[in-house]
Amino acid sequence: MHHSLVSTNAVSTWAEKNLIGVYYQNRNVLICSSKIPAKTDHLSQTERKRRDSFGMFDGYDSCSEDTSSSSSSDESEEEVSPLPSSLPIIKNNGQVYTYPDGKSGMATCEMCGMVGVRDAFYSKTKRFCSVSCSRSYSSNSKKASILARLQGKPPTKKAKVLQKQPLVAKLAAYAQYQATLQNQAKTKAAVPVEGFSWGSYINSNSFTAAPVTCFKHAPMGTCWGDISEGVRVEVPNTDCSLPTKVFWIAGIVKLAGYNALLRYEGFENDSNLDFWCNVCGSDIHPVGWCATSGKPLVPPRTIQHKYTNWKAFLVKRLTGAKTLPPDFSQKVSESMQYPFKTCMRVEVVDKTHLCRTRVAVVENVIGGRLRLVYEESEDKTDDFWCHMYSPLIHHIGWSRSIGHRFKRSDITKKQDGHFDAPSHLFMKVKEVDTAGEWFKEGMKLEAIDPLNLSAICVATIRKVLADGYLMIGIDGSEAADGSDWFCYHATSPSIFPVGFCEINMIELTPPRGYTKLPFKWFDYLRETDSIAAPVKLFNKEVPNHGFHVGMKLEAVDLMEPRLVCVATVTRIIHRLLRIHFDGWEDEYDQWVDCESPDLYPVGWCQLTGYQLQPPAPQSSRDNQSSSSKQKKKSKSQQYKGHKKMTSLQLKEEMLDGEEYSFLQGASDQESNGSASYYIKQEP
């Protein structure tokens, strides 16, 4: 996706024809798109009464007026509204609008939603702002008008309103967020925590956020284009005393995920009125949107006296500048449509027995994240959260097809309205060739512990399934019945060959109870009479992901997967990221793949309506410190480790068992290459 480049000629034409609004510093009147009437007679007695009534021409000695009018139902094209003759006029489409500052007598066009002085409106009824709106209303279809407005086009000759204005004015935003808001209303989100602002957090600490392009699964992740500092947009002008919603042009000063720090044009190096806004929000538009939508552009009150010719100023500033693509809002809307629907049935990992799957039903879809309720849960409280691209969910019948354990449902038949999710909706794994040398039961490797995601552990292949899937057990802490074995695909970025941690200076967690420390793989393989899985069988692809140490993002706490938290990338080992949750101790960190669907750009929660968990407050940190001094909790048989609570739910947990410290490493390898990815195996 590329920006719309505003050329010199384009800007001049835009300014001449479509600039809708200049706030004249000594006249207190906003003039929008006009045709100057030929007559310049003095005010009639009637008009003087109207002037006194509205205060519209206070301070002016004369105005122009076309006294002709028509009572025909066709609304005569010749009728125009009165204006002071001394005012400079900006012409556009043969219409004239005036906007007083806080005066009465306002009206709203029932066709396009334009708000203005009632006496400036067309015809005796004052229902429409222009001839075209009047005719469109009386003779054209409702649907075409709505579609035209969504596309930023003026009403066509086959357009008619759906309802009277205020609904029409909000239609574009409504269409974009309709599905999201419906899901938000139903979601079982964490208790809202007030007071956190990404903008203030980033500004006060000079943080950098991971760019949207790092998250291919997130909205706009694959079509973000070249949105960067310097891009110009049209946004609501909050520094204005007018009674109606007006807009002004602003430039992006800094980007943080979806969020942009904006500065109004005309403020130069003055940052006093800078503000943060979500680029994908309904209030941000490409330059020219106001013109096509009939919205007024008004300079901020703070700088309204700075220039006498705002049109010339904007032409100069916008020549050669970039703006959003004209179809940007449409792309945002399309990227927020999700194929998974409520009542779909899927197979998902059983959080109480990791070795098996169960049937669950989609209860909510928010931003691509699914709240799944296990089918046997009568009160719908036994649930599990994951992204629709998570490797933990599969189509109905998947477990049987690969030989995976499956908990049969007590429900003999589907409930009314429930239906199996189509298999093509699920993330496809890479095909592998198992005919030649392949993984075998008993082979050793290193793996991220699914019950303690801050640790990479000594592990063993316990069972080889079909289609490249493997059942992995963590050495020294496996349940006797294998109920905590975990299913990883052979191409999973969460399993590694023997020696991976050593060469990349990551602390490897040895088997529980193993006493010969420091741990040496060569000795352990000999003692256990086992062999290491061949290095060539592991996934060595490292994408150019774009992450850097210190970048901020929003990340799922996989130990409590309904929570999305403020987080930081603290280490990068090729494609492996160590995610730290701000305000929490390092023991809560998680090793996550760079392409994990559980990572999101800054602003994702705001965009999708999901509840963001802010950094833990000081009181929570004190509880953490007290808690961590106790011994660490032994691994449970649930897919929840030493879980974080929301800042309103924090509870001190007593921990027992052995404690390991996780070495942060002196030098992180941030190369995307894989030349030194694995250590050479000893004979």
Side-chain angles (χ1 to χ4, degrees):
M1 178 186 294
H2 300 287
H3 293 291
S4 298
L5 188 63
V6 186
S7 66
T8 305
N9 292 336
V11 171
S12 300
T13 303
W14 167 79
E16 290 293 336
K17 293 185 177 181
N18 297 318
L19 182 61
I20 304 187
V22 176
Y23 194 97
Y24 294 98
Q25 59 189 13
N26 61 344
R27 288 167 180 162
N28 211 30
V29 178
L30 175 64
I31 307 299
C32 297
S33 53
S34 70
K35 173 193 280 186
I36 305 178
K39 295 189 178 184
T40 56
D41 297 333
H42 290 293
L43 287 172
S44 65
Q45 185 176 359
T46 304
E47 187 56 43
R48 289 184 185 278
K49 289 181 179 179
R50 287 195 295 193
R51 176 198 64 186
D52 295 338
S53 174
F54 297 113
M56 180 174 168
F57 301 124
D58 291 346
Y60 295 97
D61 296 328
S62 64
C63 76
S64 59
E65 179 185 13
D66 187 341
T67 58
S68 64
S69 63
S70 171
S71 60
S72 70
S73 59
D74 289 337
E75 311 281 13
S76 170
E77 280 193 41
E78 282 71 29
E79 181 176 84
V80 290
S81 53
L83 280 176
S85 59
S86 57
L87 286 178
I89 302 298
I90 296 175
K91 299 182 178 182
N92 182 44
N93 299 333
Q95 301 166 25
V96 179
Y97 307 109
T98 61
Y99 287 72
D101 183 4
K103 304 299 182 182
S104 61
M106 306 299 289
T108 301
C109 177
E110 293 182 17
M111 180 63 213
C112 71
M114 172 68 78
V115 180
V117 177
R118 180 177 300 279
D119 276 20
F121 268 41
Y122 182 76
S123 85
K124 290 183 178 180
T125 61
K126 309 302 181 188
R127 296 170 61 195
F128 309 104
C129 63
S130 67
V131 175
S132 62
C133 281
S134 173
R135 290 182 171 175
S136 295
Y137 185 90
S138 62
S139 62
N140 305 320
S141 71
K142 299 177 181 180
K143 185 176 180 181
S145 174
I146 303 306
L147 292 176
R149 286 184 57 74
L150 289 175
Q151 296 167 3
K153 299 176 182 177
T156 65
K157 289 187 176 180
K158 296 199 170 183
K160 200 195 245 185
V161 296
L162 179 63
Q163 289 185 21
K164 292 187 178 179
Q165 219 350 52
L167 176 60
V168 177
K170 300 174 183 177
L171 195 59
Y174 173 79
Q176 180 175 331
Y177 289 106
Q178 184 181 23
T180 302
L181 293 179
Q182 287 176 348
N183 289 331
Q184 182 183 0
K186 300 175 184 176
T187 182
K188 176 189 173 185
V191 179
V193 183
E194 303 297 336
F196 177 77
S197 166
W198 261 121
S200 301
Y201 190 58
I202 288 176
N203 273 354
S204 60
N205 299 280
S206 299
F207 291 140
T208 301
V212 173
T213 51
C214 290
F215 309 88
K216 305 303 182 186
H217 58 281
M220 301 300 291
T222 57
C223 52
W224 189 245
D226 299 323
I227 297 175
S228 60
E229 295 177 8
V231 167
R232 306 301 206 284
V233 293
E234 292 179 352
V235 292
N237 177 7
T238 57
D239 183 28
C240 183
S241 58
L242 293 175
T244 57
K245 187 175 184 179
V246 296
F247 296 79
W248 190 239
I249 294 172
I252 296 178
V253 177
K254 183 176 182 179
L255 269 178
Y258 293 117
N259 295 345
L261 182 62
L262 298 176
R263 181 174 301 167
Y264 289 122
E265 284 295 343
F267 277 83
E268 308 301 337
N269 297 321
D270 184 358
S271 61
N272 286 331
L273 284 186
D274 289 2
F275 60 98
W276 286 90
C277 196
N278 196 302
V279 176
C280 296
S282 59
D283 270 339
I284 290 194
H285 309 281
V287 172
W289 176 85
C290 283
T292 59
S293 303
K295 303 297 182 183
L297 279 173
V298 182
R301 180 173 48 184
T302 304
I303 58 170
Q304 66 187 30
H305 300 284
K306 195 170 181 179
Y307 299 97
T308 56
N309 190 339
W310 282 103
K311 182 179 74 173
F313 168 78
L314 288 181
V315 169
K316 181 179 179 180
R317 290 289 295 171
L318 296 177
T319 299
K322 291 180 179 179
T323 187
L324 300 178
D327 62 346
F328 185 77
S329 61
Q330 181 181 348
K331 291 286 188 182
V332 172
S333 180
E334 291 173 354
S335 68
M336 293 178 66
Q337 303 302 313
Y338 308 106
F340 279 86
K341 308 299 178 185
T342 56
C343 296
M344 282 186 174
R345 299 170 76 242
V346 301
E347 288 186 10
V348 64
V349 64
D350 184 344
K351 64 184 181 183
T352 61
H353 293 79
L354 301 186
C355 66
R356 69 187 184 190
T357 57
R358 296 170 63 184
V359 172
V361 179
V362 177
E363 183 72 13
N364 298 100
V365 184
I366 305 178
R369 301 202 76 224
L370 311 178
R371 179 181 173 236
L372 303 172
V373 175
Y374 291 114
E375 200 168 43
E376 297 92 338
S377 177
E378 295 181 359
D379 59 359
K380 296 187 176 182
T381 58
D382 189 9
D383 62 359
F384 185 79
W385 280 91
C386 65
H387 193 273
M388 62 183 183
Y389 294 149
S390 170
L392 301 176
I393 61 170
H394 311 276
H395 61 86
I396 298 295
W398 173 83
S399 297
R400 177 183 294 179
S401 69
I402 70 161
H404 193 282
R405 290 191 198 177
F406 177 75
K407 181 186 178 184
R408 296 191 179 278
S409 174
D410 296 332
I411 299 175
T412 56
K413 67 176 183 177
K414 299 177 189 176
Q415 297 183 21
D416 291 341
H418 291 179
F419 59 102
D420 296 351
S423 59
H424 69 269
L425 299 185
F426 298 85
M427 199 67 175
K428 298 294 187 294
V429 293
K430 184 179 178 180
E431 291 186 5
V432 292
D433 181 12
T434 61
E437 187 176 13
W438 192 240
F439 292 100
K440 293 182 174 59
E441 291 183 16
M443 284 183 172
K444 300 293 183 182
L445 70 165
E446 299 174 3
I448 296 176
D449 184 352
L451 293 174
N452 182 7
L453 294 167
S454 66
I456 300 179
C457 306
V458 174
T460 303
I461 297 173
R462 292 303 179 188
K463 189 175 181 181
V464 179
L465 308 179
D467 297 340
Y469 286 96
L470 311 169
M471 296 303 295
I472 307 292
I474 302 299
D475 284 21
S477 58
E478 296 176 64
D481 59 356
S483 60
D484 58 355
W485 293 354
F486 194 75
C487 185
Y488 280 125
H489 193 263
T491 60
S492 170
S494 298
I495 59 173
F496 317 96
V498 164
F500 173 82
C501 285
E502 181 179 349
I503 196 172
N504 291 295
M505 293 185 290
I506 301 172
E507 183 75 8
L508 176 67
T509 302
R512 185 180 298 275
Y514 189 75
T515 57
K516 293 184 61 176
L517 302 177
F519 179 84
K520 295 293 184 182
W521 262 116
F522 183 74
D523 294 339
Y524 185 69
L525 291 174
R526 185 171 51 193
E527 291 167 9
T528 56
D529 192 24
S530 55
I531 61 173
V535 172
K536 66 181 181 180
L537 299 181
F538 292 85
N539 178 14
K540 292 182 284 293
E541 295 180 1
V542 182
N544 186 18
H545 48 69
F547 287 102
H548 297 287
V549 170
M551 282 183 170
K552 297 293 178 182
L553 68 163
E554 298 177 3
V556 175
D557 176 6
L558 293 171
M559 294 292 95
E560 184 67 20
R562 69 188 179 94
L563 301 181
V564 178
C565 312
V566 172
T568 307
V569 177
T570 56
R571 288 199 70 186
I572 301 176
I573 309 297
H574 305 292
R575 66 178 299 144
L576 195 62
L577 310 180
R578 189 167 179 91
I579 302 299
H580 173 76
F581 295 102
D582 290 19
W584 298 87
E585 293 187 348
D586 293 347
E587 70 178 47
Y588 295 97
D589 288 3
Q590 296 177 171
W591 286 109
V592 180
D593 183 60
C594 64
E595 294 182 339
S596 169
D598 295 307
L599 304 178
Y600 308 104
V602 165
W604 178 86
C605 281
Q606 179 190 9
L607 177 63
T608 61
Y610 205 93
Q611 174 61 50
L612 176 67
Q613 297 301 310
Q618 185 60 47
S619 58
S620 299
R621 296 173 196 169
D622 294 342
N623 285 340
Q624 289 181 58
S625 299
S626 174
S627 176
S628 62
K629 288 177 183 177
Q630 306 295 328
K631 290 187 177 180
K632 197 172 184 181
K633 184 179 180 180
S634 60
K635 292 203 305 179
S636 69
Q637 297 306 307
Q638 293 211 7
Y639 196 51
K640 295 181 179 181
H642 42 282
K643 65 179 181 180
K644 298 196 303 299
M645 310 298 289
T646 66
S647 56
L648 296 182
Q649 296 172 312
L650 186 74
K651 294 189 265 184
E652 182 177 341
E653 294 187 354
M654 302 301 291
L655 309 175
D656 54 22
E658 296 186 15
E659 182 173 13
Y660 300 110
S661 60
F662 303 108
L663 181 66
Q664 287 297 317
S667 59
D668 293 341
Q669 299 182 37
E670 297 186 36
S671 167
N672 285 333
S674 55
S676 59
Y677 198 71
Y678 303 120
I679 192 169
K680 184 177 180 180
Q681 295 187 67
E682 297 183 56

